[in-house]
Amino acid sequence: MIPVQGFSGRKVAVLGLGRSGLATARALSAGGAEPCLWDDSPEARDNAVAQGFELTDLTRRDAWDEVVCLVVSPGIPHLYPEPNRLIARAMAEGVPVDNDIGLFFRSWSTRDWGRMDKTPKVIAVTGSNGKSTTTALIHHILSEAGRPAQMAGNIGRGVLDLDPAQDGEVVVIELSSYQAELARALTPDIAVFTNLTPDHLDRHGGIGGYFAAKRRLFSEGGPDRAVIGVDEVEGRFLANQMAQGAGDDRVIRVSSGEKLDGPGWSVFARKGFLSEWRKGRQVASIDLREISGLPGAHNHQNACAAYAAVRTLGLAPKVVEAAFRSFAGLPHRSQLVAEVGGVRYVNDSKATNADSAAKALQAFDNIRWIVGGLGKGGGIASLVPHLDSVKKAYLIGHSARDFALQLGETPHEICETMERAVTRAAQEAKPGDTVLLAPAAASFDQYPDFEKRGEDFVARVTALLARAKG
């Protein structure tokens, strides 16, 4: 646990009692603060009480007496489409609003660091797609290289649940736009921006607000090194804003598909090969084509970003390459579930929007595509140029029939449920085919989250193959 500094003997309100909220409450208490806990959900309040926490009804006016800060969980809107009523109350009372990320950055460094040989560092990763894989890959590389490392944030543990820093340790944090937008302190040593595609636009008031939330990690944080994906105009703009000139190697540009051979520091992947260039010369290369945990161009971009981040810490290319080969990937993100009779079954349930589904569709050939759920704006119309590798689509969920209308000449079948979709795809699959779950939609019509949807896919595949063996 990281005890929160700066609030000893003072009242701090905590709104939202999920994983990060309860971790925040414990960390505030450990730092000597008096946490005042509340959640609009009766179930969340009951869970907190069951874990031994006391509640403070923040809907009461007198509950705000002497409160010096409100700490908000990331899922609670504070600006768009409209602020939560208690956040609006805090702003009206002049109470500063923060989140656990802000508390972490103000509390991570301690006096004990003066006795360490190597100062601990923080790598923070943000972006639309690939940030979880990039974060996990960085952590994996560091661990394989024997460097003490922890991983937290939007993946794994809450940041305040981390252990106090060891000598030379590196903490790798995944940050969503929700987390980056509200944190009052953002001071990573290395900041990583993977890419930007439209998402969460209602929460940020449009694409400009969404980009601005992620840009804060760089503009407010002032990292020593900035690793920036430049395959979109926003990334190119951000790299331009951060660099003092073309040869400024504090900014490392990353691309999947474009050769970057200018005078600065760049890492790019083309035709399955990762290349590192510095001062106009190639200094390293890695063949990514046979690395099973990183399939497809989108994962090659993640590999480039992770490679660049750890190279700033002095890790050798050969060490990074060896760690790439032992990386198993993350569940629900191009996860190879099984390969039987020449047919692969791949779980990419995290592909919750059209852009991330497009990347999955480009990573495989001869696809039997399980798609659908609770569709987002535009549906899957933008995926039509990427359907050449799809032999047939198997549609599930609320938007199955709407998606069917957008498939053009692509063969398809409305299956509605995961069970039927997996069964039908397996029945029709031939050697060389990939049965791919890449829904291009939210999960909330049939599942509480994308993880449960992916777990259902894995369970259906496992059961089907077990019956086939029996």
Side-chain angles (χ1 to χ4, degrees):
M1 181 192 304
I2 308 298
V4 174
Q5 301 179 37
F7 293 111
S8 181
R10 308 174 82 183
K11 292 171 65 175
V12 178
V14 178
L15 178 61
L17 301 179
R19 182 192 66 176
S20 65
L22 295 180
T24 297
R26 287 188 287 266
L28 284 165
S29 295
E34 179 186 343
C36 304
L37 312 185
W38 188 251
D39 196 298
D40 291 334
S41 164
E43 292 81 6
R45 297 198 298 266
D46 290 344
N47 178 57
V49 170
Q51 294 190 45
F53 292 98
E54 294 185 7
L55 302 177
T56 299
D57 186 351
L58 294 178
T59 65
R60 293 171 44 195
R61 186 173 187 84
D62 60 358
W64 292 88
D65 293 345
E66 300 181 349
V67 168
V68 298
C69 182
L70 171 64
V71 183
V72 179
S73 292
I76 302 174
H78 57 273
L79 188 57
Y80 302 113
E82 62 180 351
N84 174 280
R85 58 178 180 150
L86 295 178
I87 296 177
R89 175 68 176 276
M91 292 190 289
E93 297 279 350
V95 175
V97 180
D98 205 347
N99 61 15
D100 63 330
I101 302 298
L103 298 186
F104 166 81
F105 277 111
R106 68 180 287 168
S107 306
W108 173 237
S109 175
T110 67
R111 293 179 180 177
D112 292 341
W113 286 24
R115 297 191 290 272
M116 295 181 181
D117 292 330
K118 288 185 177 180
T119 302
K121 293 185 180 294
V122 175
I123 301 175
V125 181
T126 194
S128 296
N129 299 309
K131 58 184 179 293
S132 294
T133 297
T134 301
T135 300
L137 182 55
I138 293 170
H139 179 260
H140 175 77
I141 295 167
L142 293 169
S143 299
E144 291 292 293
R147 294 286 296 267
Q150 298 184 73
M151 180 173 66
N154 203 44
I155 184 174
R157 293 187 285 177
V159 289
L160 295 174
D161 261 341
L162 289 168
D163 299 324
Q166 300 180 44
D167 194 332
E169 186 166 43
V170 181
V171 166
V172 192
I173 299 174
E174 178 190 341
L175 291 183
S176 70
S177 55
Y178 296 176
Q179 293 169 312
E181 184 175 46
L182 195 58
R184 296 174 72 90
L186 282 170
T187 53
D189 299 282
I190 302 160
V192 180
F193 175 87
T194 59
N195 50 57
L196 193 89
T197 57
D199 207 357
H200 309 304
L201 301 189
D202 59 335
R203 177 68 182 265
H204 297 292
I207 189 69
Y210 179 51
F211 175 52
K214 294 185 177 297
R215 184 178 177 273
R216 286 192 76 243
L217 182 61
F218 299 82
S219 60
E220 307 262 341
D224 296 330
R225 297 279 189 183
V227 177
I228 300 174
V230 295
D231 287 335
E232 295 87 29
V233 66
E234 291 86 356
R236 294 190 289 275
F237 173 80
L238 180 58
N240 181 272
Q241 290 276 294
M242 296 297 295
Q244 294 300 312
D248 186 351
D249 67 0
R250 294 173 303 170
V251 176
I252 307 175
R253 291 169 173 82
V254 167
S255 175
S256 176
E258 180 182 353
K259 185 177 181 180
L260 305 174
D261 55 0
W265 193 352
S266 60
V267 181
F268 60 89
R270 292 186 71 200
K271 299 180 180 179
F273 285 86
L274 179 153
S275 298
E276 178 187 2
W277 284 64
R278 298 189 74 171
K279 298 180 180 179
R281 298 178 60 186
Q282 181 173 312
V283 297
S285 178
I286 296 174
D287 186 350
L288 301 174
R289 292 174 297 176
E290 300 303 320
I291 297 178
S292 60
L294 296 166
H298 61 304
N299 275 311
H300 293 175
Q301 182 186 57
N302 300 334
C304 289
Y307 176 96
V310 298
R311 286 286 283 145
T312 69
L313 300 175
L315 271 66
K318 290 295 183 184
V319 172
V320 181
E321 181 176 2
F324 279 175
R325 296 191 181 282
S326 61
F327 182 63
L330 289 179
H332 318 299
R333 299 162 177 85
S334 295
Q335 174 194 6
L336 179 61
V337 176
E339 184 168 355
V340 179
V343 177
R344 289 185 293 181
Y345 296 82
V346 175
N347 168 24
D348 203 348
S349 183
K350 184 62 169 65
T352 58
N353 57 44
D355 184 76
S356 53
K359 291 177 169 59
L361 291 172
Q362 294 171 69
F364 304 99
D365 297 318
N366 303 319
I367 296 171
R368 296 193 176 275
W369 180 29
I370 299 177
V371 56
L374 190 61
K376 297 184 177 181
I380 57 171
S382 63
L383 294 178
V384 171
H386 307 293
L387 298 182
D388 290 346
S389 59
V390 176
K391 296 177 74 172
K392 185 174 178 179
Y394 304 82
L395 296 134
I396 63 172
H398 177 271
S399 297
R401 286 167 176 78
D402 291 338
F403 281 12
L405 297 175
Q406 298 177 309
L407 285 171
E409 299 300 317
T410 301
H412 62 272
E413 178 178 338
I414 295 176
C415 296
E416 296 188 344
T417 67
M418 184 71 73
E419 180 179 19
R420 178 163 176 78
V422 169
T423 299
R424 292 290 298 135
Q427 287 173 343
E428 297 183 345
K430 302 288 190 285
D433 287 356
T434 296
V435 176
L436 171 67
L437 171 65
S443 59
F444 306 126
D445 56 334
Q446 295 178 313
Y447 304 92
D449 49 46
F450 73 84
E451 289 97 340
K452 293 298 182 186
R453 177 171 60 190
E455 290 167 8
D456 189 26
F457 174 77
V458 172
R460 302 294 180 186
V461 169
T462 303
L464 193 70
L465 298 179
R467 288 197 297 273
K469 288 181 181 179

